[in-house]
Amino acid sequence: MKLAPYIDHTLLKATATPSDIKKLCQEARENAFYAVCVNPVYVAQARAELEGSAVKIATVCGFPLGAVISGQKAVEARLSVEEGADEVDMVIHIGAALANDWDTVQADVKAVRQAIPEQVLKVIIETCYLNDEQKRGATEAAVLGGADFVKTSTGFGTGGATLEDVRLMRGVIAGRAKIKAAGGVRSAEDAHAMIEAGADRLGTSGGVALVAGERSGEGY
């Protein structure tokens, strides 16, 4: 199985520079990754760097805490699309999920969905902070809010994707959306296992190492 078509080649560190983004895009083009994932400030640059290629531009919204009001997330997502983003990875209202307030979580997702009706919306539920019942509730709320993908993690929390969480999400989704596993995918073996468990996309900063059959170092 070729891994490149599954990979969102990711650089979301605060210290990322324009030259880092240029390199990221070059690597994505050379390896035929599905997408790059960059912070909103670099969407326009990534669009320019990848002009003429099939690589998609993904960005983030309400990242990494999810703790801004839904209207702000909606505006952020819309502005990123205007800059050239094809896909938006939003973070849910994690506090609402911890309070089992699924109406609020669903409304948060729906606000962003309505702001970008044509683009791919991935909803990050940050599984490391939730128990299994909350993971199920957050996944269901994300799907009902209009998610195209439900995503495990920001990569900036206390833990990343696990096989158990991907399987749990797959059971809840039941074919209604796709799954993105992100954070801690550090080897080709990890990547293949996530895909076998049900992941349709992988978020990683180590995509070049993964497709080369090597182990990536620390990072997203």
Side-chain angles (χ1 to χ4, degrees), residues 63-88:
F63 193 87
L65 302 179
V68 296
I69 62 173
S70 299
Q72 287 176 276
K73 292 179 186 177
V75 170
E76 183 179 12
R78 178 177 56 78
L79 291 174
S80 289
V81 167
E82 290 174 1
E83 289 284 289
D86 301 296
E87 304 185 352
V88 174

Side-chain angles (χ1 to χ4, degrees), residues 146-200:
D148 296 300
F149 282 75
V150 179
K151 178 177 170 182
T152 60
S153 319
T154 62
F156 288 77
T158 57
T162 69
L163 295 175
E164 293 76 15
D165 285 344
V166 171
R167 294 183 186 114
L168 180 151
M169 292 162 67
R170 182 179 66 182
V172 174
I173 287 170
R176 294 174 294 162
K178 296 180 179 180
I179 296 171
K180 179 175 174 180
V185 181
R186 305 211 183 280
S187 69
E189 291 76 16
D190 291 343
H192 286 296
M194 290 293 178
I195 293 166
E196 185 176 344
D200 302 281

Side-chain angles (χ1 to χ4, degrees), residues 10-211:
T10 301
L11 180 55
L12 295 170
K13 291 181 178 179
T15 54
T17 65
S19 62
D20 293 330
I21 300 301
K22 181 179 180 68
K23 179 182 178 185
L24 184 87
C25 292
Q26 289 173 338
E27 291 171 344
R29 189 191 288 267
E30 290 166 2
N31 289 278
F33 292 139
Y34 188 88
V36 295
C37 187
V38 298
N39 280 304
V41 71
Y42 287 125
V43 167
Q45 180 188 344
R47 173 58 64 198
E49 299 282 359
L50 290 164
E51 185 176 1
S53 82
V55 180
K56 302 292 186 184
I57 313 298
T59 191
V60 290
C61 170
F63 193 87
L65 302 179
V68 296
I69 62 173
S70 299
Q72 287 176 276
K73 292 179 186 177
V75 170
E76 183 179 12
R78 178 177 56 78
L79 291 174
S80 289
V81 167
E82 290 174 1
E83 289 284 289
D86 301 296
E87 304 185 352
V88 174
D89 294 24
M90 70 166 286
V91 185
I92 64 165
H93 184 339
I94 297 167
L98 288 166
N100 302 307
D101 182 356
W102 307 120
D103 288 343
T104 293
V105 174
Q106 181 179 334
D108 193 46
V109 175
K110 186 176 180 181
V112 178
R113 172 79 285 169
Q114 291 176 334
I116 53 165
E118 304 295 327
Q119 284 70 37
V120 171
L121 177 60
K122 307 192 203 88
V123 177
I124 307 169
I125 67 171
E126 199 69 299
T127 52
C128 62
Y129 297 130
L130 307 177
N131 64 36
D132 283 353
E133 283 307 306
Q134 290 165 338
K135 292 169 192 175
R136 292 186 181 95
T139 298
E140 180 68 15
V143 172
L144 293 177
D148 296 300
F149 282 75
V150 179
K151 178 177 170 182
T152 60
S153 319
T154 62
F156 288 77
T158 57
T162 69
L163 295 175
E164 293 76 15
D165 285 344
V166 171
R167 294 183 186 114
L168 180 151
M169 292 162 67
R170 182 179 66 182
V172 174
I173 287 170
R176 294 174 294 162
K178 296 180 179 180
I179 296 171
K180 179 175 174 180
V185 181
R186 305 211 183 280
S187 69
E189 291 76 16
D190 291 343
H192 286 296
M194 290 293 178
I195 293 166
E196 185 176 344
D200 302 281
R201 197 84 65 81
L202 304 171
T204 177
S205 58
V208 174
L210 295 190
V211 297

